Amino acid sequence: MPTSTTKRDDILDSALTLFAERGFDATTIPMIATDAKVGAGTIYRYFANKEVLVNTLFQHYVTLFKEALEKDYPEGAGIREQFHHLFQGMIRFTNEHDHALYFIKTHTSAYFLDAESREQFGHLLMIFEDFFEVGKQHGHIRPLPSKALIAIIFGGFLQLYQLIRVGELEASAELLAGVEESCWDAVRHHS
Amino acid sequence: MPTSTTKRDDILDSALTLFAERGFDATTIPMIATDAKVGAGTIYRYFANKEVLVNTLFQHYVTLFKEALEKDYPEGAGIREQFHHLFQGMIRFTNEHDHALYFIKTHTSAYFLDAESREQFGHLLMIFEDFFEVGKQHGHIRPLPSKALIAIIFGGFLQLYQLIRVGELEASAELLAGVEESCWDAVRHHS
Amino acid sequence: MPTSTTKRDDILDSALTLFAERGFDATTIPMIATDAKVGAGTIYRYFANKEVLVNTLFQHYVTLFKEALEKDYPEGAGIREQFHHLFQGMIRFTNEHDHALYFIKTHTSAYFLDAESREQFGHLLMIFEDFFEVGKQHGHIRPLPSKALIAIIFGGFLQLYQLIRVGELEASAELLAGVEESCWDAVRHHS
Amino acid sequence: MPTSTTKRDDILDSALTLFAERGFDATTIPMIATDAKVGAGTIYRYFANKEVLVNTLFQHYVTLFKEALEKDYPEGAGIREQFHHLFQGMIRFTNEHDHALYFIKTHTSAYFLDAESREQFGHLLMIFEDFFEVGKQHGHIRPLPSKALIAIIFGGFLQLYQLIRVGELEASAELLAGVEESCWDAVRHHS
DNA sequence: CATGAATGAGATTTCATTCAT
DNA sequence: TATGAATGAAATCTCATTCAT
């Protein structure tokens, strides 16, 4: 009945939650093992060591997120609709993978990320960077460095979602629409 | 010649830098001692243990930040000017205390913060919360939960400053003015 | 086609090589399984545990060696010819069972050998002991304790064969004849 | 009262004994710590890891042995006297450093020895190699490869000393003189 | 006061052994 | 009978904390 790779997935799921909640260094292998209901040694059957585990997890979700953003991207549409697509992508991804985006953000500049992880993350940023660059050329987006715009959107969105996760805010459609509008106003060029 | 509290301050300075750069759990007491040029044992003369140290540090900078924001607050002025005051406060504080705000943000929901730290942090948020609440009543601020607005401003600002710290962006007056405008547009009520 | 005991033999062969090359403690069951091209669990079908395996191996080769020495022993011949027989036996045995003698020597006083293994090894020594005892009585052999004479011959021979195995020396007939002569001079009574 | 470096020396002493008796892999850090009467963590203050410890130990005793052999070497004397010097050096060294020579021999081709250890060991062999090479040129030594001659002497001597350590033989002056004579006959050229 | 050597509890990791398939 | 995934006990190693100097 259980899927074949259940164990490996259980480990990844538990690791994601714990890394997001406590951070990499404060999460011990026994904690992950207990949460995943596997023996501690089992983790090492699937991942050579703790760093490989965290990098695997990081790359997995970064890739998934990138694909979610790229899927059905409205190439020919107006910039507002494209922004909506990206923002909805963030929301949908966060809803589907509870702790993933928060985990990504809080571990983005961690000392233990390997070259591959950093590169994958670079690819992810590129989506936003391209969007902003084109938007600036057309005069639709504020003339600020794309990196800065990304930071504002990303930083704001994730800080917000942390509140939702913690339960201090509820993710109503209304709130999310309002936040999207707020973020859009943060980056769009006001004439 | 050296002030009596020199060592204590050296320890706090080193701890701030290391906690901001590596996080609490990845920072060891010997690391702090080496960086502060004191013996590892000396840290325990000033702080009962590592958790007391991090809480002391957290409360110290949260309080300092709060005071910086409250100082010369333009009570009677217009909302845009008040926002400018708060934003300038963030910038000035970050310039004066290099890693402080980033340390605060990354450790805001850490498992080892004690009640006092959480309370102090609550006080800090209150400044922004009050600002937004009044602004919303007057129709100057977007009708979103204050917590959400704070998250957007704070999250965006800090994500940005991380880029500056890492060296990916330069903190020119121009950039900062642009970012302030962006953040203001994110929270203000657009008619 | 394959004999039913093939797997058992494969395991013993692999274990012999690995124990000789790395030693008992540095050799893991998975290593043996991989080398023998069987599953790790299969080893436990044939041997109750790792210690049983090593003792089985030890006794097997000690017995084999003993039989090789006893076979065609020139009872009535002169002492030099008997010595030649023993020495040739060592060489032939080593050629036939690559790592066996080296494995025996390096594990001779190991903490995990059981009573049976020690006893078997005692029997093996007895052959040499008898040879030396009789030789001393007839004045052909140096008046030293037989154990000492055995140590000299055995120790020297095996140290030499290690060099051959490692490739630092080549096992030419000439070399071996020279070494036999050397060993003989080491033990014979010089008038 | 205790010497300053007592702890480090205690660790090395215990490690030597245990490595000689059980081998590197069968000796655990807690075993060494217990024997040395220090905390397990203390060992890591002096040696980065177990491999560094064993290499340090190896190099220490190889060097000590080499120096013992070189000290008062009778350069101008006859070959028999030089051989006597070397043999006595082995005996004296073994008496002074109980397990050292046996430890060296049993770990000489171990997988964990680093380049420095192997080089030091090469230097040690050189002393014997030089002795045999010169001896062969003068026709005093058997025309066998020096490596082979070294193996015979070394292998024999150490195998013998193992018996002494284990208590199966007693190291009387008589026995040692006899063994020296035996070894000399093993290597000298018989006209 | 200040130090850093020493410690042991606890973290990471390995591996002999079991057992469901 | 054969397998190798799974396990947990035990090994290696780290580090917060203590304490003699």
Side-chain angles (χ1 to χ4, degrees), chain D residues 68-117:
Chain D
L69 293 178
E70 283 171 338
K71 183 150 180 257
D72 302 324
Y73 189 83
E75 287 291 353
I79 188 149
R80 184 62 185 85
E81 195 174 332
Q82 290 181 338
F83 184 82
H84 178 69
H85 173 85
L86 292 177
F87 207 85
Q88 283 304 312
M90 285 166 71
I91 292 172
R92 219 177 314 117
F93 182 74
T94 301
N95 286 337
E96 281 167 23
H97 308 284
D98 213 352
H99 302 84
L101 217 48
Y102 188 66
F103 160 69
I104 290 172
K105 194 197 85 181
T106 46
H107 293 78
T108 282
S109 43
Y111 61 93
F112 45 74
L113 285 193
D114 61 24
E116 177 66 12
S117 291

Side-chain angles (χ1 to χ4, degrees), chain A residues 72-117:
Chain A
D72 302 324
Y73 188 83
E75 287 291 352
I79 189 149
R80 185 62 185 85
E81 195 174 330
Q82 289 181 339
F83 184 81
H84 179 69
H85 173 85
L86 291 177
F87 206 86
Q88 282 303 312
M90 286 165 70
I91 291 172
R92 218 178 315 116
F93 182 74
T94 301
N95 286 336
E96 280 168 23
H97 308 284
D98 213 353
H99 302 84
L101 216 47
Y102 188 66
F103 160 69
I104 289 172
K105 194 195 88 183
T106 47
H107 293 76
T108 282
S109 45
Y111 62 93
F112 45 74
L113 285 193
D114 61 23
E116 177 66 12
S117 291

Side-chain angles (χ1 to χ4, degrees), chain B residues 18-159:
Chain B
L18 288 162
F19 287 161
E21 280 174 357
R22 305 179 52 89
F24 175 76
D25 291 290
T27 302
T28 69
I29 292 288
M31 274 180 202
I32 298 171
T34 301
D35 192 87
K37 296 187 176 59
V38 300
T42 304
I43 293 175
Y44 287 84
R45 299 218 133 264
Y46 295 103
F47 308 97
N49 57 47
K50 203 183 165 191
E51 299 217 345
V52 166
L53 170 58
V54 76
N55 277 284
T56 302
L57 202 59
F58 188 85
Q59 289 163 33
H60 174 71
Y61 282 108
V62 163
T63 304
L64 219 58
F65 185 31
K66 190 167 71 91
E67 288 168 2
L69 294 178
E70 283 171 338
K71 182 152 181 252
D72 303 323
Y73 189 82
E75 287 291 353
I79 188 149
R80 183 63 186 82
E81 195 175 329
Q82 289 181 340
F83 183 82
H84 179 69
H85 173 85
L86 292 177
F87 207 86
Q88 281 304 311
M90 286 165 71
I91 291 172
R92 217 178 316 115
F93 182 74
T94 301
N95 286 336
E96 281 167 23
H97 307 284
D98 212 354
H99 302 84
L101 216 49
Y102 188 67
F103 160 69
I104 290 172
K105 193 195 90 182
T106 48
H107 292 77
T108 282
S109 44
Y111 62 93
F112 45 74
L113 285 193
D114 60 23
E116 177 66 12
S117 291
R118 289 174 203 278
E119 195 184 325
Q120 293 287 338
F121 187 70
H123 293 337
L124 172 60
L125 288 189
M126 207 66 79
I127 294 177
F128 289 90
E129 204 153 342
D130 288 349
F131 167 81
F132 285 127
E133 286 302 323
V134 171
K136 279 188 284 184
Q137 279 164 28
H138 293 202
H140 297 135
I141 294 291
R142 215 179 270 274
L144 285 172
S146 294
K147 279 179 196 298
L149 294 167
I150 293 171
I152 292 169
I153 297 302
F154 235 62
F157 178 82
L158 287 167
Q159 200 73 12

Side-chain angles (χ1 to χ4, degrees), chain C residues 152-181:
Chain C
I152 292 168
I153 297 302
F154 235 63
F157 177 82
L158 287 167
Q159 200 73 11
L160 185 88
Y161 245 93
Q162 194 182 348
L163 292 179
I164 292 170
R165 267 187 38 237
V166 170
E168 296 203 25
L169 281 178
E170 210 199 338
S172 68
E174 206 181 341
L175 175 69
L176 293 172
V179 171
E180 178 180 336
E181 202 56 33

Side-chain angles (χ1 to χ4, degrees), chain A residues 15-30:
Chain A
L16 175 64
T17 306
L18 287 162
F19 287 161
E21 281 174 356
R22 305 178 52 90
F24 174 76
D25 291 292
T27 302
T28 70
I29 292 289

Side-chain angles (χ1 to χ4, degrees), chain A residues 13-138:
Chain A
D13 284 353
S14 295
L16 175 64
T17 306
L18 287 162
F19 287 161
E21 281 174 356
R22 305 178 52 90
F24 174 76
D25 291 292
T27 302
T28 70
I29 292 289
M31 277 179 199
I32 299 171
T34 302
D35 191 87
K37 296 188 177 62
V38 301
T42 304
I43 293 175
Y44 289 87
R45 283 199 63 73
Y46 294 102
F47 307 97
N49 56 49
K50 207 183 160 189
E51 299 217 345
V52 167
L53 169 58
V54 77
N55 277 284
T56 302
L57 203 58
F58 188 86
Q59 290 163 33
H60 175 70
Y61 283 109
V62 163
T63 304
L64 220 59
F65 185 31
K66 190 168 72 93
E67 288 169 3
L69 295 178
E70 283 171 338
K71 181 149 183 257
D72 302 324
Y73 188 83
E75 287 291 352
I79 189 149
R80 185 62 185 85
E81 195 174 330
Q82 289 181 339
F83 184 81
H84 179 69
H85 173 85
L86 291 177
F87 206 86
Q88 282 303 312
M90 286 165 70
I91 291 172
R92 218 178 315 116
F93 182 74
T94 301
N95 286 336
E96 280 168 23
H97 308 284
D98 213 353
H99 302 84
L101 216 47
Y102 188 66
F103 160 69
I104 289 172
K105 194 195 88 183
T106 47
H107 293 76
T108 282
S109 45
Y111 62 93
F112 45 74
L113 285 193
D114 61 23
E116 177 66 12
S117 291
R118 290 174 202 278
E119 195 184 324
Q120 294 286 340
F121 187 70
H123 292 338
L124 172 59
L125 289 188
M126 208 65 79
I127 294 177
F128 289 92
E129 204 153 342
D130 288 348
F131 168 80
F132 284 126
E133 286 300 323
V134 172
K136 279 189 285 184
Q137 279 164 27
H138 293 200

